[in-house]
Amino acid sequence: MNPIDRRSFLALGATLPTALRAAGKKHIPVGLEMYSVREELARDPQGTTRAVAKMGYQNVEYFAPYFDWTEGLTKELKSILDGVGVTCLSTHNSPRYLDSDNIAKTRDRNMMLGSKFVVLASAGHITTLDGWKGVAEKLNRAAEFLKGSGMRTGYHNHELEFTPIEGKRPIEILAKETDPSVVLQLDVGTCIAAGSDPVAWIHDNPGRIVSMHCKEWSRAKGFHVLFGDGAADWKAIFQAAENGGGIEFYLIEQEGSDYSEFETAKRCLKTFRKIHG
């Protein structure tokens, strides 16, 4: 082997592992929790959906008001999503949407949108561990009902679920008492605000952090802070989520900032791509 060939061979050997890893890396879409643009969505759901797609978001998560849309509007929004190549993989749901009187409608509306995950946005102010066990039972019943349609349930945490009751965090009760198919949708900002470590939580629940709300929090501004400007160690969080956490899609959620809803969503996506790659 002459020197030139040898150098080429060594260079190829150095770059090949990186190239192979990149080629085999699973694509994880980044979407927008539409609560981030809630005022625009209420004013113009069609235009807002198109605007979010134009920003470069690959997925949307519609929140509770979707349940009260007409079938016509729901189908129109699905048609818009299909036309711009954006998915709606999940919805955010009020507790009553999982009740026996409503869950069939919830299933049907999610099917219209193409959603695969029916996420309980909040259980309300539950104050006892037995009460949280009741929430787990509700999620399990819904999971059983929805699985025939190829859907899964999930639970979205706030600070409350990471705040101990009787020496135990309610989120631990939900993780233990729900079927493994129930997604633990991690809201990073509220987890940090409650004093918990999101990376440790991901490691403690392998395979169940299928979806994540990439929301920031800072001691100075609370949740009124842009993605990347808060306390979260996003590189460590992404590393944990993508190496055992089970992540299938990210969702940027913003409760507010110094900018308009659309400008905030644009800036957050730009920073997400810079940090995540």
Side-chain angles (χ1 to χ4, degrees):
M1 182 178 289
N2 64 51
I4 294 176
D5 288 341
R6 182 174 183 275
R7 284 197 298 270
S8 299
F9 177 79
L10 291 174
L12 178 61
T15 59
L16 188 57
T18 300
L20 288 173
R21 285 195 298 271
K25 187 176 180 180
K26 178 182 176 182
H27 171 67
I28 302 171
V30 55
L32 184 69
E33 160 55 58
M34 296 296 273
Y35 183 77
S36 306
V37 289
R38 52 198 173 277
E39 292 181 6
E40 295 289 349
L41 186 68
R43 182 181 62 81
D44 180 7
Q46 297 95 329
T48 301
T49 298
R50 291 190 182 97
V52 167
K54 190 174 181 179
M55 292 177 200
Y57 283 99
Q58 302 157 312
N59 177 45
V60 298
E61 182 175 77
Y62 290 118
F63 62 103
Y66 86 91
F67 186 86
D68 296 316
W69 290 341
T70 64
E71 287 192 20
L73 175 58
T74 305
K75 291 176 179 178
E76 182 182 2
L77 289 174
K78 179 60 165 68
S79 178
I80 291 171
L81 290 173
D82 289 345
V84 294
V86 173
T87 56
C88 173
L89 295 175
S90 59
T91 58
H92 245 210
N93 296 265
S94 296
R96 67 183 180 91
Y97 298 179
L98 272 61
D99 290 343
S100 58
D101 291 342
N102 294 319
I103 195 165
K105 179 181 176 182
T106 299
R107 174 201 60 201
D108 294 346
R109 291 305 169 89
N110 276 267
M111 289 181 70
M112 288 179 193
L113 290 168
S115 168
K116 299 299 182 184
F117 299 93
V118 177
V119 180
L120 180 56
S122 171
H125 191 64
I126 309 297
T127 59
T128 66
L129 294 182
D130 282 343
W132 284 106
K133 289 179 181 179
V135 175
E137 291 173 4
K138 186 185 191 80
L139 288 165
N140 287 334
R141 286 194 299 270
E144 182 65 25
F145 180 87
L146 293 170
K147 70 179 183 180
S149 300
M151 297 179 193
R152 296 167 64 181
T153 54
Y155 189 86
H156 175 90
N157 67 267
H158 293 85
E159 293 171 70
L160 178 66
E161 290 82 2
F162 279 97
T163 303
I165 298 174
E166 303 167 26
K168 199 170 189 67
R169 297 179 299 178
I171 194 71
E172 296 175 58
I173 297 295
L174 293 178
K176 180 181 178 182
E177 300 291 335
T178 52
D179 185 88
S181 68
V182 176
V183 172
L184 301 174
Q185 186 185 68
L186 176 61
D187 184 311
V188 173
T190 58
C191 174
I192 294 174
S196 288
D197 179 355
V199 173
W201 178 248
I202 294 168
H203 287 318
D204 287 344
N205 295 276
R208 297 193 67 180
I209 315 298
V210 174
S211 172
M212 179 186 297
H213 275 211
C214 298
K215 183 165 69 181
E216 275 285 13
W217 177 85
S218 76
R219 194 170 298 280
K221 289 190 172 183
F223 299 113
H224 198 78
V225 59
L226 292 173
F227 177 88
D229 291 341
D233 182 351
W234 289 108
K235 288 190 176 181
I237 291 167
F238 294 149
Q239 175 71 15
E242 295 173 28
N243 290 275
I247 196 74
E248 294 185 15
F249 57 101
Y250 293 110
L251 292 160
I252 288 175
E253 182 191 1
Q254 187 67 40
E255 293 195 7
S257 79
D258 295 333
Y259 303 95
S260 70
E261 289 183 340
F262 282 159
E263 182 63 22
T264 295
K266 289 178 185 177
R267 287 172 178 261
C268 287
L269 180 58
K270 182 178 179 180
T271 305
F272 178 95
R273 286 177 170 163
K274 183 178 180 180
I275 295 174
H276 182 272

